[in-house]
Amino acid sequence: MSSARRARFLLGATLLLLAAPGLASPAPLITKTYSYFSIGGRTAEDLDSELERRGPMTRASGFRHPGATQISFGGEVTYLENTARCSIGGTKVTLKTKIILPRWKNRRAATGSLGLIWDTLSSDIKRHEERHAEIARNYARQLEQSLEQLRPQATCALLEARVGETTRRIVDEHDKEQLRFDIVESKNFDARMMRLLKYRAAATE
């Protein structure tokens, strides 16, 4: 005689966060939303000050940032139990991402040069946060596949412990990859902005 039971897990993080062709694979339930915060200012110095003053603050860093991505993992695992063993009946990993971006109230009245700077900066902020969301999506898929592939155990308590260990390991790997991405982006920021500004300026000539 066999029985089935479900267990839920939820892991959250706020960050500044594959299957082979032809093979069936789990598909996490992924949602992405956007929100915006307004800033004022009429000079480049104003914009810098406004972003520092009004940007979202993250728990991870304790500082305000020009943009942020809130990432929350969760899900449900079904366990199938009989007299001999306990196995995974099914998994459903969920991922919620919320991208927070700046919106400059005075963009329409900006001079050409300042408008160019803002458009370049805001585009780079959005690209950066979208990459955080993409990293999270990749790890959500990895998590669901890893849970599906867990071997049966003698008891559901043992298997549930394996689920917890696997979840913590993959989410920890996710957090480290998000941090690595931020460090690389920070080091390359000045060079990247100069390159982008030159490209956009040339495109408008």
Side-chain angles (χ1 to χ4, degrees):
M1 184 175 180
S2 63
S3 62
R5 66 187 182 89
R6 290 188 175 88
R8 295 180 183 274
F9 60 89
L10 180 64
L11 291 162
T14 301
L15 304 169
L16 247 166
L17 279 45
L18 300 175
L23 297 178
S25 65
L29 180 60
I30 297 172
T31 59
K32 181 171 67 173
T33 59
Y34 296 85
S35 69
Y36 299 86
F37 63 96
S38 295
I39 65 170
R42 298 186 180 278
T43 67
E45 291 75 15
D46 289 344
L47 294 176
D48 189 52
S49 176
E50 284 281 281
L51 288 172
E52 284 190 11
R53 189 164 65 93
R54 299 182 183 274
M57 181 179 291
T58 67
R59 279 181 265 177
S61 68
F63 296 101
R64 293 191 178 275
H65 298 266
T69 302
Q70 295 177 347
I71 297 170
S72 178
F73 291 95
E76 185 177 87
V77 177
T78 301
Y79 299 89
L80 297 179
E81 185 175 25
N82 56 35
T83 55
R85 65 178 190 174
C86 182
S87 60
I88 298 291
T91 66
K92 177 56 64 178
V93 170
T94 62
L95 169 65
K96 295 180 180 179
T97 57
K98 179 182 179 182
I99 294 178
I100 305 170
L101 299 169
R103 182 172 282 162
W104 184 26
K105 295 182 293 185
N106 300 324
R107 172 61 186 89
R108 291 185 179 180
T111 62
S113 59
L114 186 56
L116 176 66
I117 292 172
W118 172 253
D119 291 346
T120 304
L121 176 61
S122 61
S123 177
D124 192 63
I125 292 170
K126 185 175 188 298
R127 176 204 57 79
H128 178 92
E129 300 307 332
E130 291 284 3
R131 177 57 183 153
H132 275 306
E134 182 183 354
I135 291 170
R137 288 195 298 272
N138 290 339
Y139 277 90
R141 296 185 185 104
Q142 180 181 337
L143 175 58
E144 187 151 301
Q145 290 168 7
S146 296
L147 293 177
E148 285 278 349
Q149 294 166 6
L150 287 176
R151 294 178 179 275
Q153 299 293 313
T155 67
C156 284
L158 288 173
L159 185 55
E160 193 166 354
R162 290 289 179 88
V163 167
E165 291 167 3
T166 300
T167 301
R168 286 189 292 273
R169 173 177 58 80
I170 292 177
V171 172
D172 184 56
E173 290 173 0
H174 160 269
D175 292 349
K176 290 177 180 177
E177 176 59 22
Q178 297 283 18
L179 179 59
R180 187 201 67 80
F181 172 65
D182 269 337
I183 291 172
V184 170
E185 288 273 293
S186 177
K187 288 180 179 179
N188 297 331
F189 176 78
D190 290 339
R192 185 173 67 251
M193 283 299 296
M194 289 303 298
R195 184 175 66 252
L196 291 172
L197 283 169
K198 290 178 179 178
Y199 175 80
R200 283 178 174 255
T204 60
E205 291 178 354

